Amino acid sequence: MSERPPDPPPADGAEAPEPPPRRVPWGRIVISVVVLAAAAAIAIGLAQRDSTPLAVAPVTPIGQRPLAADIELPVFQAGDGIGPEGSTLALADLRGRVVVVNLWAYWCGPCREEVPELQDLADAYDPGRVLVLGLNSEDVEGDARRFLADYPFDYPSVRDPGSDSARALEILGYPSTLIIDTQGRVATRFSGAIEDERQLVPAVDQVLGEG
């Protein structure tokens, strides 16, 4: 195979042609900048989330705790030795245990988001000592059952079609959670969705340690 002869040198006095200017890869630069900005935003968000202190439920001193209303409601979902479904459960029957009462309804979006945290809380304790109890209130029964199907939990729940029980317990916002001590007194209230079970664990442990 013969080789191509080299190009002849430019004639005397003639300038060699300048190479064409290199194109700046703006598309790649823009993509790189966007990717780096997104990564930085994610890193900042994670750092802020990790550094943001949790809103922990405070505990009322024993001598200042009001007695919780002794509501009686039908069991909507049995669990942890509570039931069967349709039987009547009174808060007074739960004396001797720490009871975490959580108000929920199908139409309450934040109620759905906190179910995994409440389930983790229920799983962390012996239900004979600490009982997580759902209170479905102001809800259509069919919607409430759809909630149980879509966002399943296995701790027990009672149901009040109206709002009498929630008002008696002075729980007015959805979702809300209150912790009742072993003597049936309200030790603390937590308004809003539980974002992390650790928001309730210190209060539960403190009340549980009171004996």
Side-chain angles (χ1 to χ4, degrees):
M1 181 185 299
S2 60
E3 297 183 358
R4 178 185 174 186
D7 294 334
D12 293 342
E15 296 182 356
E18 295 183 0
R22 295 184 61 185
R23 297 181 60 188
V24 178
W26 291 110
R28 294 182 181 179
I29 293 176
V30 171
I31 292 174
S32 299
V33 170
V34 171
V35 171
L36 289 174
I42 292 172
I44 292 173
L46 290 174
Q48 290 178 340
R49 186 185 66 180
D50 292 340
S51 62
T52 301
L54 290 170
V56 177
V59 176
T60 303
I62 293 177
Q64 301 175 23
R65 297 175 191 172
L67 194 64
D70 185 21
I71 61 171
E72 294 187 14
L73 292 171
V75 174
F76 189 55
Q77 173 169 273
D80 295 329
I82 303 299
E85 182 179 329
S87 62
T88 300
L89 176 67
L91 276 183
D93 296 338
L94 303 177
R95 296 280 175 88
R97 303 192 223 185
V98 175
V99 184
V100 181
V101 180
N102 174 255
L103 183 69
W104 64 274
Y106 174 82
W107 44 264
C108 165
C111 295
R112 306 169 188 181
E113 298 171 5
E114 67 177 359
V115 166
E117 304 304 327
L118 290 165
Q119 183 64 65
D120 287 344
L121 185 71
D123 292 341
Y125 294 93
D126 176 357
R129 302 185 67 204
V130 177
L131 180 70
V132 176
L133 178 67
L135 170 56
N136 176 246
S137 178
E138 295 186 278
D139 214 355
V140 176
E141 182 174 354
D143 288 343
R145 294 199 179 281
R146 191 173 300 114
F147 185 106
L148 295 179
D150 294 342
Y151 308 93
F153 55 84
D154 61 19
Y155 51 87
S157 190
V158 293
R159 171 171 159 74
D160 180 0
S163 60
D164 290 347
S165 58
R167 290 182 180 277
L169 291 171
E170 299 180 15
I171 312 177
L172 304 179
Y174 290 77
S176 289
T177 303
L178 58 83
I179 298 176
I180 300 175
D181 66 19
T182 57
Q183 303 301 313
R185 301 167 301 199
V186 179
T188 187
R189 300 176 183 275
F190 191 95
S191 298
I194 303 301
E195 299 176 355
D196 190 308
E197 63 174 302
R198 292 175 296 171
Q199 293 174 291
L200 297 181
V201 166
V204 170
D205 287 346
Q206 181 177 337
V207 176
L208 187 61
E210 294 168 357

